[in-house]
Amino acid sequence: MHQLLHESELNEHHRAALHNYMRFSRYLKVQRLRAVDACFRDVQDSRLLEETYTRDEVAEIVSELAQVVRADVDSELINIAHSNALLLQNIFAQAEKWHLKLTADTTDLENRELLDRIKEFEDEEKQLTRSEHSATNQSPTKCRLQPMNEVSGVALLQQEIDRLQEDNIRLRSVIRTLESKTSGLLDDRSKMTEELDKKEGELNTVRSAKTEHYNREIAELKQQLTGAKEALGQLQISADRKSVV
């Protein structure tokens, strides 16, 4: 938004439309100032007829003048708001014809930097048109907001199609990249799963082998213990027999 009225932001057609709107606004401003001047002249011609006035009489005249000027300014401000709304309606209607959605950022309407750029733009337009007519004495040529013709409409639609196609290509590229990364991650996961299964199989084999080895050793020890007990029993029997003899 801060590039408003930059040369590269507006094409020649839109700049011309903006020039016409600024001239129209200046014409309305002059007419409104004349209306205010007329209010003061009416008071001067109708009320200021005596040489001297009392304080109360002056206060009454000023109060009546203030009411008239206030009512006139209030009416003109309402007309300005309605005119701007009508202009936006015309622009939005043209946009909707081509299925476009425009937005109006009201937060910039009080941006001093942008307002100063508008003033610079208006000063530039005054210099360009000063030799053609006086803004205070002549009414500007009425300029209606022209609807887009078929050629410009097709061109605008083609630009939108090209933009959507570029976005589509870009999104397809992103999708392919994500699919490639996802495929790589799935392959890595599969390899890790196979490696884990392999390691678990090896561990189970080792555990099984160790268990069988331990079981054999335990069985041998049991057999040895049993044999030792039997041998000890035989020795005890022999010793008992000898002691009897």
Side-chain angles (χ1 to χ4, degrees):
M1 291 299 297
H2 293 285
Q3 298 298 325
L4 185 67
L5 298 182
H6 193 277
E7 290 288 345
S8 60
E9 294 297 324
L10 296 175
N11 58 35
E12 183 178 354
H13 175 77
H14 289 156
R15 286 182 63 85
L18 191 55
H19 280 306
N20 289 330
Y21 181 75
M22 296 302 294
R23 286 197 295 269
F24 176 69
S25 298
R26 286 201 304 275
Y27 169 74
L28 293 180
K29 179 185 69 174
V30 171
Q31 298 303 313
R32 288 157 187 159
L33 290 177
R34 288 178 176 175
V36 174
D37 292 339
C39 292
F40 283 88
R41 283 197 302 270
D42 290 341
V43 171
Q44 183 177 359
D45 296 338
S46 62
R47 298 297 304 274
L48 302 181
L49 303 176
E50 304 294 335
E51 293 294 335
T52 59
Y53 291 89
T54 65
R55 180 186 181 90
D56 292 339
E57 290 174 338
V58 172
E60 180 183 358
I61 293 173
V62 172
S63 177
E64 292 178 358
L65 177 61
Q67 292 178 5
V68 173
V69 172
R70 179 182 178 86
D72 188 69
V73 171
D74 180 71
S75 176
E76 293 300 335
L77 290 176
I78 292 176
N79 288 336
I80 291 174
H82 291 173
S83 296
N84 291 335
L86 180 60
L87 179 63
L88 288 175
Q89 183 181 8
N90 290 338
I91 294 175
F92 291 157
Q94 290 188 28
E96 290 178 3
K97 179 180 178 181
W98 296 98
H99 307 287
L100 301 177
K101 293 183 179 180
L102 305 182
T103 58
D105 189 356
T106 57
T107 59
D108 282 337
L109 297 181
E110 296 182 355
N111 187 311
R112 175 49 54 187
E113 179 182 357
L114 298 181
L115 292 175
D116 289 340
R117 292 189 182 183
I118 290 288
K119 184 178 183 302
E120 293 175 1
F121 182 83
E122 184 178 15
D123 293 340
E124 175 188 349
E125 192 274 334
K126 285 181 181 179
Q127 293 178 359
L128 293 175
T129 60
R130 184 173 299 170
S131 59
E132 299 178 0
H133 63 273
S134 173
T136 58
N137 296 324
Q138 297 183 12
S139 173
T141 303
K142 293 183 178 180
C143 178
R144 295 183 59 187
L145 189 63
Q146 297 296 328
M148 292 181 294
N149 55 37
E150 294 299 326
V151 176
S152 60
V154 171
L156 181 61
L157 186 60
Q158 184 61 45
Q159 290 179 0
E160 184 67 13
I161 292 174
D162 293 341
R163 185 186 67 80
L164 292 175
Q165 287 179 343
E166 291 178 358
D167 290 343
N168 188 31
I169 294 174
R170 179 178 58 81
L171 291 175
R172 286 181 180 275
S173 177
V174 172
I175 291 173
R176 284 195 296 268
T177 302
L178 293 176
E179 288 178 344
S180 177
K181 291 182 179 180
T182 303
S183 178
L185 291 174
L186 291 175
D187 291 341
D188 292 342
R189 179 182 177 183
S190 178
K191 291 179 182 179
M192 292 178 65
T193 301
E194 292 178 358
E195 186 69 19
L196 180 60
D197 292 340
K198 181 180 179 181
K199 294 297 182 181
E200 287 181 350
E202 293 177 353
L203 180 61
N204 291 332
T205 301
V206 172
R207 285 177 178 175
S208 177
K210 287 184 177 181
T211 300
E212 291 179 358
H213 176 71
Y214 291 151
N215 289 336
R216 285 196 300 269
E217 289 185 349
I218 291 172
E220 291 176 357
L221 289 174
K222 287 182 177 180
Q223 290 178 358
Q224 293 176 3
L225 181 60
T226 301
K229 288 181 178 180
E230 291 177 354
L232 182 61
Q234 293 295 330
L235 290 175
Q236 184 65 35
I237 294 173
S238 299
D240 292 340
R241 288 176 179 178
K242 289 179 179 181
S243 61
V244 172
V245 175

